[in-house]
């Protein structure tokens, strides 16, 4: 074999061996996994108000049923239905003619009584010197004095009768006893009304401030009194927030007046009465609402967003916590009430701890995280809107 062919063959074999060696060489190891990106929050201590949301019903601050004080025929209605009225405003006019006739009759009776009294008084004055001179008997003089006193009493009675008849005439014009909003008329013009009627003529309700009657379990009243919210507790009274049907707070606040002195035997609840300012008339009598009533205050409470709390298979609350080197660990914690979508931390965490809020699914115990400050959804939405 020619030497050149041997050399070429050897070169081909060497190249094949090098190729096999390269294929059999182990692949280089992959680099370490990058730290998981998470959002975190450093917990801070602040005063926390613990409260309960309880059902309640709105009641008018004052209610007045309009009823006649004299009987008669309704001539006209003098108010707009559903409007605000003032105290003393005329609402209905009854036919005044019968009452005016009674006034005139009583005035005539008073005039007659006054004339009789004047005559009796003059008679007694004329007889006085005669009885002193023994010209008449003492009995005759005493009879004249008695007639004078009776005439004076008759005058007083006639004056009282006239005053009463004038009062009845004034009652023929029916006025509003309180200021407030009046409802629909319950009697029409031409109707005969009387003092003994069961149904009122109309109803006025004062609603510029209202009561909200809230039912709370009697067992919770002790905590309410301890917080100072109840009038039987401390002097510092915490405000009560009224929530609408959509769960949004009304732009009004209230304060607790008192808690009921008796407990419903069927439900075990006591009624708490809350006084609420209602200048816009948004709360109407009979409306069902919810009241957020404070029961306790934690001076150094710690709040944790709800999305940071995980649950183990046994129901134990847990949270991922970062140490000073950004290594994570899963810690069991204890949480209590929810305040504005945040748990009140009862144990396991303290002010100053850094807790993972979002991105927990990327974590393993002992792993290193890449933390970013957590921003609440409201703040993030406002920032995005401002950027646009």
């Amino acid at each position: 074999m020619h030497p050149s062919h041997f050399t070429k063959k050897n070169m081909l074999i060497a190249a094949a061996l090098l190729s096999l060696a390269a294929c059999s060489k182990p692949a280089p190891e992959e680099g370490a996994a990058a730290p998981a990106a998470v959002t975190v929050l450093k917990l801070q201590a602040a005063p926390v108000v613990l409260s309960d949301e309880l059902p309640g019903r709105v009641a008018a601050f004052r209610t007045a049923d309009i009823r006649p004080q004299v009987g008669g025929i309704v001539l006209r209605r003098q108010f707009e239905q559903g409007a605000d009225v003032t105290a003393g405003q005329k609402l209905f006019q009854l036919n005044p003619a019968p009452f005016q006739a009674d006034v005139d009759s009583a005035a005539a009776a008073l005039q007659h009584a006054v004339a009789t009294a004047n005559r009796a008084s003059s008679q007694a004055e004329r007889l006085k010197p005669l009885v002193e001179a023994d010209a008449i008997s003492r009995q005759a003089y005493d009879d004249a004095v008695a007639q004078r006193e009776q005439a004076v009493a008759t005058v007083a009675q006639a004056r009282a009768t006239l005053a009463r008849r004038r009062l009845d005439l004034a009652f023929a014009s029916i006025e509003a006893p309180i200021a407030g909003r009046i409802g629909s008329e319950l009697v029409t013009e031409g109707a005969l009304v009387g003092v003994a009627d069961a149904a009122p003529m109309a109803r006025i309700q004062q609603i510029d401030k209202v009561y909200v009657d809230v039912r709370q379990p009697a067992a919770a009243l002790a905590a309410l009194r301890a917080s100072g919210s109840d009038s039987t507790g401390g002097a510092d009274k915490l405000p009560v927030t009224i929530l609408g049907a959509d769960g949004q707070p009304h732009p009004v606040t209230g304060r607790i007046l008192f808690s009921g002195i008796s407990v419903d035997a069927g439900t075990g609840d006591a009624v708490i009465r809350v006084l609420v300012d209602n200048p816009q008339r948004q709360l109407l009598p009979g409306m069902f609402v919810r009241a957020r009533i404070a029961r306790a205050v934690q001076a150094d409470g710690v709040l944790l967003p709800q999305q940071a709390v995980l649950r183990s298979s046994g129901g134990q609350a847990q949270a991922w916590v970062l140490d000073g080197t950004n290594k994570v660990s899963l810690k069991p914690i204890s949480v209590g009430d929810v305040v504005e979508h945040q748990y009140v931390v009862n144990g396991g965490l303290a002010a100053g701890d850094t807790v993972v809020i979002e991105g927990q699914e990327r974590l393993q115990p002992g792993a290193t995280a890449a933390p970013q400050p957590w921003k609440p959804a409201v703040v993030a939405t406002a920032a995005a809107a401002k950027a646009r």
Side-chain angles (χ1 to χ4, degrees):
M1 183 178 295
H2 196 275
S4 61
H5 290 284
F6 180 78
T7 302
K8 186 182 290 188
K9 184 177 180 182
N10 289 341
M11 291 176 63
L12 292 173
I13 294 173
L17 291 175
L18 288 173
S19 177
L20 291 173
C23 293
S24 62
K25 186 177 180 179
E29 296 183 1
E30 296 182 358
V38 295
T39 58
V40 298
L41 176 67
K42 188 173 183 178
L43 302 182
Q44 297 180 350
V48 176
V49 178
L50 304 181
S51 58
D52 294 321
E53 289 187 11
L54 302 169
R57 191 169 186 178
V58 179
F61 182 70
R62 288 194 295 178
T63 301
D65 286 343
I66 307 304
R67 298 179 184 275
Q69 294 179 273
V70 292
I73 300 295
V74 178
L75 289 184
R76 56 185 175 273
R77 168 174 54 84
Q78 298 173 291
F79 66 91
E80 292 293 331
Q81 301 179 76
D84 290 329
V85 297
T86 58
Q89 179 177 334
K90 293 183 178 180
L91 303 178
F92 294 96
Q93 178 62 56
L94 303 184
N95 184 6
F99 308 108
Q100 184 62 57
D102 290 341
V103 169
D104 295 341
S105 176
L110 174 61
Q111 187 176 2
H112 180 271
V114 169
T116 302
N118 291 337
R119 186 183 64 178
S121 179
S122 299
Q123 181 69 12
E125 290 298 327
R126 284 195 299 268
L127 295 180
K128 184 176 181 180
L130 296 178
V131 72
E132 291 176 352
D134 292 332
I136 62 172
S137 67
R138 188 74 184 179
Q139 180 65 43
Y141 175 72
D142 290 342
D143 290 343
V145 171
Q147 290 177 0
R148 181 186 64 186
E149 298 301 325
Q150 290 176 358
V152 171
T154 302
V155 170
Q157 184 178 10
R159 290 186 190 279
T161 301
L162 177 59
R164 177 63 195 181
R165 296 297 176 256
R166 286 174 175 169
L167 193 59
D168 289 344
L169 178 60
F171 286 157
S173 179
I174 300 175
E175 300 176 349
I178 63 172
R181 182 163 293 178
I182 192 167
S184 60
E185 62 174 359
L186 302 180
V187 296
T188 60
E189 296 172 348
L192 174 63
V193 296
V195 178
D197 290 349
M201 302 177 70
R203 177 173 289 122
I204 300 175
Q205 295 178 310
Q206 181 181 346
I207 58 174
D208 57 345
K209 48 186 174 180
V210 295
Y211 294 122
V212 176
D213 293 328
V214 179
R215 291 187 171 273
Q216 186 178 49
L221 290 180
L224 184 65
R225 292 190 174 97
S227 70
S229 297
D230 190 10
S231 59
T232 59
D236 296 330
K237 297 177 176 60
L238 299 175
V240 178
T241 302
I242 305 301
L243 308 177
D246 56 357
Q248 296 299 317
H250 281 282
V252 293
T253 57
R255 62 182 180 87
I256 294 177
L257 293 181
F258 65 90
S259 57
I261 59 175
S262 61
V263 177
D264 190 318
T267 62
D269 293 342
V271 174
I272 299 173
R273 170 152 282 192
V274 180
L275 178 62
V276 181
D277 290 329
N278 189 35
Q280 303 301 323
R281 276 70 168 177
Q282 293 180 332
L283 300 177
L284 301 177
M287 181 183 293
F288 286 97
V289 296
R290 296 187 68 81
R292 184 180 294 156
I293 299 178
R295 72 171 185 277
V297 177
Q298 293 184 0
D300 296 317
V302 176
L303 296 177
L304 180 64
Q306 286 181 294
Q307 58 265 46
V309 179
L310 307 176
R311 297 285 178 176
S312 66
S313 58
Q316 171 66 50
Q318 300 173 318
W320 288 96
V321 180
L322 268 68
D323 61 14
T325 61
N326 291 339
K327 288 188 176 181
V328 298
S329 60
L330 190 60
K331 294 182 61 175
I333 62 174
S334 174
V335 294
D337 292 36
V338 176
V339 178
E340 296 181 355
H341 307 292
Q342 299 183 90
Y343 281 115
V344 177
V345 177
N346 294 333
L349 295 173
D353 289 344
T354 302
V355 182
V356 177
I357 306 301
E358 296 172 341
Q360 299 97 324
E361 68 279 359
R362 309 185 188 97
L363 299 179
Q364 294 292 332
T368 301
Q372 295 292 329
W374 176 74
K375 295 181 180 180
V378 175
V379 175
T381 302
K386 186 177 180 180
R388 288 197 296 269

